[in-house]
Amino acid sequence: MRVLVTGGAGYIGSHTCVELLKAGHEVFVIDNLSNGHETSLERVRLITNCELQFTNADIRDANALDKIFNTFKPDSVIHFAGLKAVGESVANPLMYYDVNVGGSVSLLTAMSKAGCNKIVFSSSATVYGKPQYLPYDEEHPTNPVNPYGRTKLIIENIINDWTEVDTNRKGVILRYFNPVGAHESGQIGEEPIGIPNNLMPYIAQVAGGRREHLNIFGNEYDTSDGTGARDYIHVVDLALAHIGALNQNKLDMFDVLNIGAGKSTTVLELVSNFEEISGVPIKFKYLPRREGDLAAFWADSSKAFEKTSWKPERNINNICEDTWRWQKLNPNGYGIK
Ligand code: NAD
Ligand code: WQD
């Protein structure tokens, strides 16, 4: 298959490019490098010993998209490109609607013109909002509590409407839980800009000596040890879920799949696992709860297991090992910012 990957120079996109190339697909990446790195694509080539094409352009640039669709003629699109920082979306919602929603409309317009009928879209468990029951399954009501989450739900609905127009179209929505980890080669991984918002990169930077201590937001939640609990999914397992979503025929023309490991891990459990793997003590301090945080959530991903041949194969130990290798080999990420 020829696959256009939007946002392919980013964290999840680069890992997915590796798995696509390993599976024998042809890959074209469009990325404006607002949060991605061309170096990550060089590393993808290095890991796979395969070529991939790349254009530095914005998905809101209709001409750039038309050119790719007319020359590369993709069979499918995997759509990662977008902005993902919750706090930034609260401060600047219009930018999020413009890039995430506007970018997706621009992409679907180009696909329609070119007759490209299949899209796999990166959505998020954040669309569910406050849990009415756990684990979340795909039938759980959606009620995102910030602009970032609302852009994801709007795009899901736009893709649904788009598939209704033509029976040849297929839209697969993957709702990711908490993606973490890095490629086992240590060549590609997550490079947060500035101070990490998310737990795993923060722990890795404390272990690597780049930050003095971890702040743990809340220790009185109703969880096994009082700290927040999440469903951490290894980024390579997540990447493989996209291959599953492209390959199989059991999916409906519009389908939604949870992609998680199906179990939750608390902040303290993750810290102690990381200490064990790295051999480095992680200093931490307790702070009050972070605004908007939920106590715990995890996925029921049984629909994805049943409808695709996918199942996560990597555990929390693998996640810590691979994150630590990436951190040690690349203490300043790709070394650019
Ligand atoms: P990322 O920022 O590393 O990757 C996104 C890529 O898109 C970047 O390389 C960026 O340069 C590019 N991009 C952004 N706007 C663009 C535009 N207008 N035109 C072209 N390229 C553009 O993020 P990620 O963690 O790899 O996330 C990928 C997708 O998965 C995003 O849509 C994100 O919302 C979604 N997601 C991520 C998580 C997570 O925790 N990482 C969880 C759920 C969903
Ligand atoms: C995990 C746990 C924190 C940092 C966010 C987005 C979500 C999604 C993934 C895209 C929580 C605690 C964290 C720290 C801490 N992305 N924590 N100290 O909040 O589940 O999800 O990223 O769709 O939309 O909201 O992930 O890694 O930030 O937090 O104690 O320095 O770690 O309170 O319990 P979260 P996270």
Side-chain angles (χ1 to χ4, degrees):
M1 249 190 250
R2 284 185 304 278
V3 186
L4 174 64
V5 181
T6 76
Y11 172 45
I12 305 168
S14 56
H15 289 80
T16 305
C17 287
V18 167
E19 300 308 322
L20 284 166
L21 292 167
K22 275 170 63 183
H25 299 294
E26 280 180 57
V27 175
F28 197 118
V29 168
I30 176 169
D31 196 304
N32 67 358
L33 303 182
S34 58
N35 198 35
H37 301 276
E38 209 168 340
T39 314
S40 74
L41 297 176
E42 281 159 27
R43 304 262 178 101
V44 169
R45 293 185 181 102
L46 200 79
I47 293 166
T48 58
N49 205 19
C50 291
E51 247 324 304
L52 87 175
Q53 298 181 69
F54 167 61
T55 288
N56 179 350
D58 196 294
I59 54 165
R60 291 164 297 173
D61 178 345
N63 290 332
L65 281 178
D66 287 344
K67 203 169 152 199
I68 296 168
F69 278 98
N70 290 333
T71 52
F72 182 63
K73 300 188 190 306
D75 307 294
S76 306
V77 175
I78 304 183
H79 178 28
F80 296 104
L83 303 175
K84 62 167 183 176
V86 172
E88 187 184 52
S89 82
V90 174
N92 199 347
L94 294 184
M95 182 168 84
Y96 271 66
Y97 287 106
D98 183 16
V99 173
N100 290 5
V101 180
S104 300
V105 170
S106 160
L107 178 64
L108 290 164
T109 304
M111 290 176 69
S112 309
K113 266 203 257 177
C116 178
N117 285 326
K118 188 161 184 181
I119 185 163
V120 178
F121 172 61
S122 306
S123 189
S124 167
T126 198
V127 299
Y128 293 119
K130 198 165 185 260
Q132 296 185 8
Y133 57 85
L134 283 169
Y136 291 125
D137 58 25
E138 292 84 353
E139 303 304 314
H140 188 285
T142 49
N143 185 22
V145 296
N146 54 61
Y148 165 71
R150 284 190 276 275
T151 67
K152 289 291 173 188
L153 194 56
I154 291 168
I155 299 163
E156 290 190 6
N157 286 323
I158 292 172
I159 292 174
N160 190 5
D161 290 341
W162 178 79
T163 60
E164 292 286 337
V165 176
D166 183 334
T167 52
N168 291 313
R169 289 180 179 165
K170 262 196 166 184
V172 186
I173 307 300
L174 301 184
R175 290 180 178 157
Y176 311 158
F177 280 67
N178 286 57
V180 285
H183 191 264
E184 62 178 14
S185 64
Q187 291 298 314
I188 53 173
E190 183 173 13
E191 189 191 331
I193 300 175
I195 301 170
N197 288 316
N198 297 117
L199 179 62
M200 194 61 183
Y202 209 111
I203 292 176
Q205 292 193 4
V206 174
R210 203 167 148 187
R211 316 248 161 234
E212 210 257 320
H213 70 272
L214 170 71
N215 293 312
I216 298 184
F217 303 132
N219 61 347
E220 288 177 350
Y221 282 113
D222 184 15
T223 59
S224 59
D225 56 28
T227 63
R230 296 291 183 273
D231 184 334
Y232 296 99
I233 174 91
H234 194 297
V235 65
V236 173
D237 280 330
L238 178 57
L240 288 165
H242 295 78
I243 316 290
L246 279 183
N247 279 346
Q248 57 59 58
N249 297 313
K250 282 196 213 156
L251 291 173
D252 296 337
M253 56 192 271
F254 176 79
D255 228 331
V256 180
L257 302 174
N258 281 342
I259 304 295
K263 85 183 263 290
S264 70
T265 304
T266 67
V267 175
L268 284 177
E269 284 167 348
L270 197 59
V271 166
S272 99
N273 241 288
F274 206 96
E275 284 180 326
E276 209 171 294
I277 298 286
S278 64
V280 180
I282 312 285
K283 277 199 226 161
F284 63 82
K285 289 183 185 160
Y286 289 119
L287 252 58
R289 294 177 180 192
R290 191 170 62 176
E291 206 190 314
D293 263 359
L294 296 167
F297 61 85
W298 64 99
D300 175 346
S301 292
S302 51
K303 187 176 171 196
F305 305 164
E306 282 154 25
K307 286 202 160 194
T308 73
S309 47
W310 175 81
K311 243 195 173 127
E313 283 170 0
R314 291 155 185 84
N315 60 25
I316 288 289
N317 281 341
N318 305 130
I319 285 170
C320 293
E321 277 161 15
D322 294 338
T323 305
W324 184 226
R325 190 177 303 109
W326 158 251
Q327 178 68 35
K328 278 190 300 185
L329 289 174
N330 308 271
N332 296 310
Y334 292 108
I336 299 149
K337 294 199 174 90

